[in-house]
C-alpha cells in the first residue's frame, strides 16, 4: 500500500494520485443524470446533481473520434470530439486531454484520425452545454486521459 502511494506521488503527481481514489461513472450514467436535471423543476436540485457529477471521473469506452478541433477552453490548445449514440439523439463529448505530468497530451492527440481512431477516455466532468445543432446534449470533460485502442 505505502509503496503504491509513494510511487504514485512521485511519478503521477497530485492529480494522478487523487484520480486513483475518485469514483467513476460510465458516460451513460452521466446522460441519465442529465435527463434527471432536465426533469427537475427545483434549481437547487439541478445544482446538486451537476455538483455531484463534478466529483466523479467519467469513462468512455470504444468511441470513434469524430474530430480534433482547436480548443474553446483557455487551458488547452486542442479538443477531441466523440459521438456517443443515445436513443434521444447523439451525445457529443468534448475531451480536453492531459497526461500524467499535467501537460496537454498533444502527442496522443496528434496520432488520432478523424472517423477512424477508436479510443477509451477517462476525464473529469466539467459541464453540459448546448448549441443550435442536432446533438441531444454536449458534455465537456477536462483533464482527460485518452488511450488509443486502434482503428476501425
Amino acid at each position: 500500500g505505502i509503496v503504491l502511494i509513494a510511487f504514485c506521488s512521485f511519478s503521477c503527481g497530485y492529480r494522478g494520485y487523487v484520480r486513483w481514489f475518485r469514483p467513476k461513472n460510465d458516460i451513460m450514467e452521466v446522460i441519465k443524470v442529465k435527463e434527471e436535471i432536465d426533469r427537475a423543476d427545483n434549481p437547487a436540485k439541478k445544482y446538486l446533481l451537476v455538483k455531484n457529477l463534478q466529483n466523479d471521473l467519467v469513462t468512455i469506452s470504444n468511441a470513434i473520434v469524430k474530430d480534433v478541433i482547436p480548443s474553446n477552453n483557455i487551458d488547452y490548445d486542442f479538443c477531441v470530439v466523440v459521438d456517443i449514440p443515445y436513443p434521444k439523439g447523439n451525445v457529443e463529448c468534448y475531451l480536453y486531454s492531459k497526461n500524467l505530468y499535467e501537460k496537454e497530451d498533444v502527442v496522443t492527440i496528434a496520432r488520432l484520425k478523424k472517423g477512424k481512431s477508436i479510443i477509451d477516455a477517462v476525464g473529469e466532468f466539467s459541464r453540459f452545454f448546448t448549441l443550435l445543432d442536432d446533438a441531444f446534449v454536449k458534455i465537456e470533460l477536462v483533464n482527460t486521459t485518452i488511450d488509443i485502442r486502434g482503428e476501425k
Side-chain angles (χ1 to χ4, degrees):
I2 292 176
V3 174
L4 177 64
I5 292 171
F7 173 75
C8 250
S9 62
F10 292 118
S11 67
C12 305
Y14 176 74
R15 188 175 64 84
Y17 173 73
V18 170
R19 286 172 72 107
W20 279 78
F21 300 101
R22 287 178 74 174
K24 290 185 174 139
N25 275 324
D26 183 75
I27 189 68
M28 291 301 176
E29 292 301 316
V30 174
I31 298 166
K32 289 176 188 171
V33 172
K34 171 62 173 145
E35 290 185 316
E36 189 177 344
I37 290 167
D38 290 346
R39 287 190 305 270
D41 55 359
N42 182 331
K45 179 171 179 136
K46 290 180 181 192
Y47 172 81
L48 285 177
L49 288 168
V50 170
K51 204 70 176 154
N52 286 339
L53 282 176
Q54 291 172 337
N55 295 326
D56 297 348
L57 294 173
V58 178
T59 61
I60 298 172
S61 299
N62 291 317
I64 297 171
V65 172
K66 178 179 179 179
D67 208 351
V68 176
I69 60 173
S71 174
N72 289 326
N73 183 319
I74 194 166
D75 295 325
Y76 300 85
D77 293 320
F78 306 100
C79 176
V80 177
V81 182
V82 297
D83 268 345
I84 306 296
Y86 194 68
K88 293 187 176 181
N90 275 347
V91 175
E92 278 188 345
C93 296
Y94 289 71
L95 311 176
Y96 296 94
S97 180
K98 286 201 176 174
N99 60 27
L100 289 176
Y101 305 105
E102 302 190 19
K103 305 278 189 225
E104 186 167 16
D105 193 359
V106 178
V107 173
T108 300
I109 295 171
R111 293 176 39 216
L112 298 174
K113 295 178 184 166
K114 181 173 155 179
K116 291 185 178 179
S117 296
I118 300 169
I119 63 169
D120 289 343
V122 178
E124 299 169 12
F125 175 84
S126 176
R127 66 186 177 118
F128 294 112
F129 64 102
T130 55
L131 298 173
L132 298 175
D133 62 13
D134 59 352
F136 169 61
V137 68
K138 296 177 187 294
I139 300 172
E140 183 179 87
L141 302 180
V142 295
N143 293 328
T144 305
T145 303
I146 296 173
D147 292 315
I148 302 171
R149 294 183 63 102
E151 291 186 11
K152 69 172 198 166

